Amino acid sequence: NMELSKINYDLVGRLRNLAIACLDNGDYIGSFLLNFLFLEGTITHIVSMKIEEKPNTDPGIVEKFRKGHHSFAILIDYFYLLTDDVNAYQKLRELNKKRNKIVHEIFEYKTYDQILQEARQISLEIRQLDEYLLETYWPKVNTEVSQNPDKLEQTKVDKTP
């Protein structure tokens, strides 16, 4: 699992910029995928930090978490157990349901536009929640990323499907 010293903040900033650029440029599927990956990384890091901050965390939870490779549903359960943030937890559960619909039922959509619109909406929801999570639980990422603005050039995204 993530250790603070191993986080490549330049990479984090570039990926955040790419996710935002995809959304801004109409690449909603790319935005959906990148934003969800970023959200999962954020949640993983928050859980890791909370385990370090709370020495009396149930050893069973710590052991399972440190083994890694969790489903997103399990990861957000750990998040809730360690933060008691009911509002964020409920939003994460809802986002996971929406993600699962796209990922597991993609060939059942009636139109390509329907997929794009759902991916766009989920991306917007993820961005909003992720900003809250970063500000509340991991403010260092914003500080570290913003200290190197020259490294975070805007990424050009090809809009062709």
Side-chain angles (χ1 to χ4, degrees), residues 127-138:
R127 293 289 341 129
Q128 186 177 29
L129 180 57
D130 202 60
E131 287 301 319
Y132 163 77
L133 294 170
L134 291 175
E135 289 171 14
T136 306
Y137 298 103
W138 191 16

Side-chain angles (χ1 to χ4, degrees), residues 22 30 48 58 104 117 125 130 136 147 154:
C22 285
S48 183
D58 179 326
H104 300 296
Q117 291 313 309
E125 291 174 27
D130 202 60
T136 306
Q147 285 177 355
Q154 186 67 20

Side-chain angles (χ1 to χ4, degrees), residues 43-151:
I43 296 296
T44 300
H45 180 68
I46 290 169
V47 169
S48 183
M49 283 192 316
K50 289 296 178 185
I51 284 174
E52 297 303 318
E53 289 173 10
K54 295 183 173 190
N56 349 341
T57 301
D58 179 326
I61 290 173
V62 174
E63 182 181 341
K64 286 178 185 175
F65 176 74
R66 291 206 169 126
K67 284 183 181 178
H69 307 293
H70 314 288
S71 70
F72 190 71
I74 297 293
L75 189 60
I76 61 177
D77 285 345
Y78 290 152
F79 169 83
Y80 177 66
L81 288 171
L82 294 162
T83 66
D84 294 321
D85 190 333
V86 176
N87 190 37
Y89 176 70
Q90 289 173 336
K91 288 179 182 178
L92 287 164
R93 286 180 50 87
E94 188 59 36
L95 281 170
N96 193 41
K97 286 180 192 171
K98 291 176 181 181
R99 172 211 162 271
N100 286 344
K101 182 175 186 252
I102 288 180
V103 170
H104 300 296
E105 299 173 19
I106 194 151
F107 296 135
E108 297 171 25
Y109 280 84
K110 300 292 183 222
T111 66
Y112 181 68
D113 189 58
Q114 185 184 11
I115 296 169
L116 292 180
Q117 291 313 309
E118 285 191 31
R120 178 185 175 276
Q121 185 58 41
I122 293 169
S123 293
L124 291 169
E125 291 174 27
I126 290 171
R127 293 289 341 129
Q128 186 177 29
L129 180 57
D130 202 60
E131 287 301 319
Y132 163 77
L133 294 170
L134 291 175
E135 289 171 14
T136 306
Y137 298 103
W138 191 16
K140 181 178 180 178
V141 75
N142 289 321
T143 305
E144 291 291 329
V145 167
S146 63
Q147 285 177 355
N148 299 303
D150 55 314
K151 293 182 180 179

